[in-house]
Amino acid sequence: MTTERRRVFLFLQGPPSGFARQISDELDRLGHRTVRINLCSGDWLYWRKPGAVNYRGTLQEFPAFLEDFCRREGVTDVLYYADRLPYHRVAASVARKLGITDVTYEFGYLRPDWITFERGGMSAYSHFPKDPDQIRKIARDAPEPDLEPHYPYTFGQEAFNEVVYNLTTFFARWPFWNYDADKYYNPFIDYLNHLPQLFLGKVHHRNARRVIRKLRKSGQRYYVFPMQLQSDYQLRSNSPFNHQSDAIDMVMKSFKAHAPEDAVLIFKVHPLDNGMEKWPKAIRRLARKNGLKGRVRFINGGALDQLLEKAEGCVLINSTVGLHAYRLACPVKIIGMAMFDIPGLAFQGELDEFWTNGEKPDIDLCADFIKALAATIQVKGNFYTKAGRAAAVRDVAQRLIEGHINEPGAFVNPPPRLAEARKRGLPYRSDEEILAGHIK
């Protein structure tokens, strides 16, 4: 790809902010053409730029519509936020069929003020190398990343935009009646359930800090399971578990049979959990079922870094907590699919072996991994503040035009994790099935 060829960038769903629109404006300014397809009222609200097409068909009709649209408009590149959403799975399949570059983006791996941009997909579909030697090679020529936060944003800014986007889509459904949001929870019920959590937050944090302080002082051996949001798309698309309780049950069984008898297992709820799953009750029930009375703790708050610093190990599905654990030299076992499940960083043996044979991550490889990430698939900035968007937009636009997403050297084809994901029975349909309308 060269900077001289005029390109046509198609934008699909973006984050609930003006971020995607600002990238579009910058690409237009640099002499390229941008087009947009709105899929729901939230898309329309956060785009508000002339010329967008409002798609009102069904999800099953979308593959044929999108292919025709791309051919008609001469689309050369497609951008979308959140890799495995149903409409974006279609976009990735159409792009591969037509030879179009597809770029997906999400919150950064090096949070708080980074954004991830990858070509061709994320997680199991990530083209980022898995071979430690390739990662070290990229890092050798990469600059030292600036890991100091320069573009902070508040939880309130993120939450406000998420609520506005999702409730607009929920209550103003009629213009896009066929839209399939594929939400795990009804957004209205979801947000209502957050209200009690806001009032109880201080109590939860106080109790969690007490548990963590007691564990650190006692010297008792413990392992950590950082829980994810049940609604997290990573659980549905990049793990073999139908429900997070299935993973918890599996981990408890293994812990009972193979962990040191004096060790305890700590479950830490996700900070944004809405309380609908009644995790304290569920975990107590599973602990009784697996004969772990007195060996399981549940906390809803507290400082994660303090917990990981003294832990014997961390078991997770595919939470980015894994990266924090690496940097704190805490042994990690990943039981779902994650692009950062790399030999030398995460334990590669079976879960049963991890409790007694887990190894600390290679600190030098961890540093090289962070350098390679920052140089190839991370962009400094954020979605929610003026300064954070401005910093990221300039960088992203230039990388898109020059074809430098995943560069230098971080695009391995075929995706090095995909064969393993399919072997483990993860729910990946073929491109042919997706394009035929069999999306779910």
Side-chain angles (χ1 to χ4, degrees), residues 211-220 222 264 266 307:
V211 171
I212 294 170
R213 188 164 55 247
K214 185 177 179 181
L215 280 170
R216 287 169 63 95
K217 283 185 176 180
S218 69
Q220 183 173 33
Y222 65 90
V264 296
I266 314 296
L307 196 60

Side-chain angles (χ1 to χ4, degrees), residues 2 11 13 21 36 74 87 116 144 156 171 195-196 200 239 241 250 255 257 289 329 350 358 366 373 402:
T2 70
F11 285 77
Q13 291 183 308
R21 188 184 65 243
R36 161 78 166 197
Y87 294 91
T116 299
E144 285 293 335
F171 286 111
L195 295 178
L200 293 171
S239 89
F241 307 108
M250 184 188 84
F255 182 80
K289 171 190 168 186
E350 297 298 324
C366 180
L373 281 177
E402 295 174 355

Side-chain angles (χ1 to χ4, degrees), residues 185-204:
Y185 302 115
N186 176 302
F188 186 64
I189 303 301
D190 185 357
Y191 296 139
L192 283 179
N193 273 271
H194 275 285
L195 295 178
Q197 310 307 312
L198 295 176
F199 291 112
L200 293 171
K202 288 185 178 179
V203 174
H204 291 323

Side-chain angles (χ1 to χ4, degrees), residues 328-399:
L328 294 168
C330 177
V332 173
K333 173 59 184 173
I334 298 169
I335 58 176
M337 287 300 304
M339 65 82 65
F340 48 87
D341 188 357
I342 292 168
L345 294 179
F347 182 70
Q348 299 297 296
E350 297 298 324
L351 175 62
D352 291 349
E353 303 166 20
F354 176 72
W355 309 110
T356 53
N357 295 321
E359 300 172 345
K360 291 182 180 294
D362 181 329
I363 294 302
D364 292 333
L365 177 58
C366 180
D368 285 343
F369 178 60
I370 289 170
K371 282 180 71 177
L373 281 177
T376 59
I377 63 170
Q378 300 291 284
V379 172
K380 195 77 168 173
N382 69 54
F383 299 136
Y384 300 110
T385 68
K386 185 176 180 180
R389 288 195 299 267
V393 161
R394 289 190 298 269
D395 192 358
V396 169
Q398 205 59 42
R399 290 200 199 190

Side-chain angles (χ1 to χ4, degrees), residues 6-63:
R6 186 172 188 262
R7 310 260 283 285
V8 179
F9 293 90
L10 167 61
F11 285 77
L12 295 178
Q13 291 183 308
S17 77
F19 181 74
R21 188 184 65 243
Q22 286 180 245
I23 298 176
S24 169
D25 291 342
E26 180 68 4
L27 291 169
D28 290 341
R29 187 186 69 79
L30 293 171
H32 299 272
R33 179 171 172 246
T34 60
V35 291
R36 161 78 166 197
I37 297 174
N38 291 326
L39 300 172
C40 64
S41 297
D43 290 352
W44 173 86
L45 179 67
Y46 278 94
W47 188 254
R48 301 299 296 274
K49 184 175 177 179
V53 172
N54 295 322
Y55 177 69
R56 305 182 195 280
T58 66
L59 177 59
Q60 284 65 38
E61 294 166 336
F62 189 61

Side-chain angles (χ1 to χ4, degrees), residues 111-132:
R111 298 176 195 180
D113 61 344
W114 294 79
I115 300 169
T116 299
F117 277 82
E118 289 200 64
R119 212 163 83 228
M122 293 185 180
S123 298
Y125 273 103
S126 174
H127 291 262
F128 190 88
K130 186 171 181 177
D131 182 348

Side-chain angles (χ1 to χ4, degrees), residues 176-330:
F176 298 88
W177 190 255
N178 289 309
Y179 175 61
D180 186 344
D182 199 36
K183 291 286 185 185
Y184 194 84
Y185 302 115
N186 176 302
F188 186 64
I189 303 301
D190 185 357
Y191 296 139
L192 283 179
N193 273 271
H194 275 285
L195 295 178
Q197 310 307 312
L198 295 176
F199 291 112
L200 293 171
K202 288 185 178 179
V203 174
H204 291 323
H205 277 288
R206 187 165 58 247
N207 292 338
R209 285 194 294 268
R210 185 166 56 246
V211 171
I212 294 170
R213 188 164 55 247
K214 185 177 179 181
L215 280 170
R216 287 169 63 95
K217 283 185 176 180
S218 69
Q220 183 173 33
R221 289 195 282 183
Y222 65 90
Y223 297 81
V224 179
F225 186 111
M227 297 174 65
Q228 294 171 232
L229 295 175
Q230 184 56 42
S231 57
D232 187 349
Y233 233 95
Q234 291 295 331
L235 288 177
R236 286 182 275 170
S237 292
N238 286 294
S239 89
F241 307 108
N242 292 323
H243 192 274
Q244 198 166 189
S245 59
D246 298 330
I248 293 169
D249 190 32
M250 184 188 84
V251 168
M252 283 189 182
K253 281 184 171 67
S254 178
F255 182 80
K256 169 67 174 176
H258 300 281
E261 291 187 3
D262 63 339
V264 296
L265 184 57
I266 314 296
F267 290 89
K268 185 180 187 304
V269 74
H270 191 281
L272 301 182
D273 191 89
N274 60 15
M276 290 177 69
E277 297 295 330
K278 306 294 186 285
W279 289 122
K281 181 178 179 181
I283 287 171
R284 284 196 300 270
R285 176 180 60 80
L286 290 170
R288 286 195 302 271
K289 171 190 168 186
N290 287 293
L292 288 172
K293 184 179 179 181
R295 296 185 63 194
V296 169
R297 308 279 190 280
F298 174 88
I299 60 174
N300 188 356
L304 180 63
D305 284 0
Q306 289 182 8
L307 196 60
L308 293 173
E309 279 173 351
K310 299 290 186 180
E312 296 290 313
C314 175
V315 178
L316 52 90
I317 299 174
N318 45 34
S319 166
T320 53
V321 166
L323 292 175
H324 295 285
Y326 293 159
R327 293 161 80 171
L328 294 168
C330 177

